[in-house]
């Protein structure tokens, strides 16, 4: 009798092209609060829908900037977990691995994954709010009296903003296109730690199901995909991923 973990292991071992589609739950065991968990979730403390929008930044740039600085400190003080590392370790042995993440913490890249599509940007980067080209690492200004948000170093006139996609902003079409192609070409999608609420990102998992792709889900809670998934594993990403991805042979 195959346990769900053994079935998931077999699907992961057989697949030549795997997509990992990850949400905030992927980094929960690193200590980064998810948006939705009642106790630690950011929804509980702040309403991202009120803060993670261009309107909020226009209305109160300092409040929104402080919200991101609060989250950047968490990301700086935490680190990728065993789940990120298990995915990264899979690359390189002749299999095509693509990570499509909704997360903005950069942990998949830090753990060593090379093919990472960041649908919603990177919280550890800034860009000019009024369009100067380029992004640059978010750093804390030395001068405690520096303006908040900081002024763009390129134009010297406008403020910077976090290099993330806010609610109501469109995703980078090229990134989304590459993500769609990866889903269409994969043999297996592993959907990890997402409540499937945020679109168009969640639409990628819908597409995978619609195309009949082999589908593994890892989440302590059920989701809209649980019933149709080949394997729906109730548990934590940092515990389950090493069990299904680490080849013992
Ligand atoms: C857009 C960056 C065009 C900022 C983020 C349909 C089509 C298109 C748009 C929409 C649509 N319907 C609604 C919209 C509008 C909106 C949207 O989706 N709203 C939601 C709230 C209903 N979408 C947009 O605005 C997108 N733009 O489509 O442009 C357009 C424009 C205007 C109008 C129409 C169309 C842009 C969305 C991007 C938003 N930016 N991040 C920032 O971070 O500050 S999204 C943000 O939310 C994060 O990236 C995060 O990933 C995401 C939250 O979702 P999850 O990752 O799923 O996390 P969540 O906390 O919800 O769930 C955690 C899960 O983990 C849970 O299931 C939990 O059980 C599980 N878990 C917990 N612990 C563990 C675990 N799993 C495994 N292991 C564990 N240990």
């Amino acid at each position: 009798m195959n346990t769900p973990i053994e079935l998931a292991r077999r699907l992961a071992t057989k697949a030549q092209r795997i997509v990992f589609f990850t949400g905030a739950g992927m980094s929960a065991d690193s200590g980064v609060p998810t948006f939705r968990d009642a106790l630690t979730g950011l929804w509980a403390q702040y309403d991202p829908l009120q803060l993670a929008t261009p309107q909020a930044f226009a209305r109160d740039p300092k409040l929104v900037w402080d919200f991101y600085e609060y989250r950047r400190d968490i990301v700086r003080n935490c680190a990728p977990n065993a789940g990120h590392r298990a995915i990264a370790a899979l690359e390189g042995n002749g299999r095509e691995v693509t990570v499509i993440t909704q997360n903005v913490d950069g942990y998949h890249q830090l753990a060593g994954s090379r093919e990472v599509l960041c649908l919603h940007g990177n919280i550890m980067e800034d860009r000019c709010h009024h369009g100067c080209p380029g992004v640059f690492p978010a750093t804390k200004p030395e001068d405690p009296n520096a303006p908040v948000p900081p002024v763009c170093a390129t134009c010297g006139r406008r403020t910077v903003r976090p290099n993330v996609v806010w609610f109501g902003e469109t995703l980078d079409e090229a990134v989304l296109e590459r993500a769609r192609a990866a889903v269409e070409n994969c043999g297996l999608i592993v959907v990890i730690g997402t409540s499937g609420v945020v679109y168009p990102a969640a639409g990628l998992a819908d597409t995978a199901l619609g195309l009949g792709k082999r589908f593994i889900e890892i989440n302590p809670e059920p989701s809209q995909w649980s019933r149709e998934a080949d394997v729906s594993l109730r548990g934590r990403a940092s515990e389950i991923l090493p069990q299904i991805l680490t080849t013992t042979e």
Side-chain angles (χ1 to χ4, degrees):
M1 165 64 179
N2 275 322
T3 66
I5 287 275
E6 283 159 356
L7 184 50
R9 265 181 75 80
R10 208 180 20 267
L11 288 175
T13 307
K14 256 175 44 186
Q16 280 310 302
R17 285 191 294 274
I18 308 183
V19 161
F20 292 94
F21 176 60
T22 69
M26 182 75 222
S27 299
D29 292 345
S30 297
V32 180
T34 70
F35 274 73
R36 219 156 300 268
D37 286 358
L39 291 182
T40 58
L42 290 181
W43 292 122
Q45 298 176 43
Y46 301 87
D47 182 354
L49 279 179
Q50 300 310 317
L51 292 173
T53 67
Q55 295 77 6
F57 190 64
R59 192 172 48 244
D60 190 341
K62 181 173 179 334
L63 174 71
V64 173
W65 186 261
D66 289 348
F67 172 57
Y68 282 90
E69 281 300 294
Y70 155 74
R71 292 170 60 197
R72 284 169 169 168
D73 285 344
I74 294 171
V75 171
R76 285 189 189 100
N77 294 326
C78 296
N81 59 55
H84 296 99
R85 290 194 295 274
I87 292 174
L90 210 60
E91 291 189 11
N93 54 10
R95 298 218 273 172
E96 251 177 73
V97 176
T98 305
V99 176
I100 302 172
T101 189
Q102 301 172 83
N103 300 339
V104 294
D105 54 32
Y107 281 5
H108 284 296
Q109 300 92 304
L110 274 178
S113 287
R114 288 188 298 277
E115 183 62 9
V116 182
L117 300 174
C118 297
L119 298 177
H120 299 153
N122 187 331
I123 199 170
M124 303 312 285
E125 292 173 346
D126 286 333
R127 68 173 196 257
C128 178
H129 184 43
H130 290 276
C132 293
V135 296
F136 31 92
T139 51
K140 284 194 176 305
E142 276 90 42
D143 173 4
N145 304 315
V148 175
V151 170
C152 167
T154 309
C155 64
R157 293 197 315 274
R158 307 287 198 278
T159 69
V160 296
R161 58 163 282 178
N163 186 33
V164 297
V165 180
W166 277 328
F167 289 98
E169 292 185 323
T170 51
L171 280 62
D172 179 319
E173 198 43 50
V175 172
L176 199 49
E177 227 6 80
R178 284 173 61 197
R180 287 185 179 124
V183 168
E184 282 158 16
N185 297 323
C186 76
L188 168 68
I189 185 168
V190 187
V191 174
I192 308 160
T194 181
S195 59
V197 170
V198 175
Y199 278 81
L204 293 163
D206 299 338
T207 301
L209 269 185
L211 292 171
K213 300 297 181 183
R214 289 300 207 172
F215 195 113
I216 296 172
E217 175 187 51
I218 299 172
N219 194 322
E221 306 289 328
S223 77
Q224 69 258 42
W225 303 299
S226 300
R227 260 201 307 279
E228 295 173 79
D230 291 285
V231 194
S232 184
L233 298 169
R234 286 285 156 278
R236 311 186 71 81
S238 64
E239 290 159 9
I240 290 182
L241 282 165
Q243 291 179 52
I244 65 173
L245 299 182
T246 318
T247 43
T248 43
E249 51 271 12

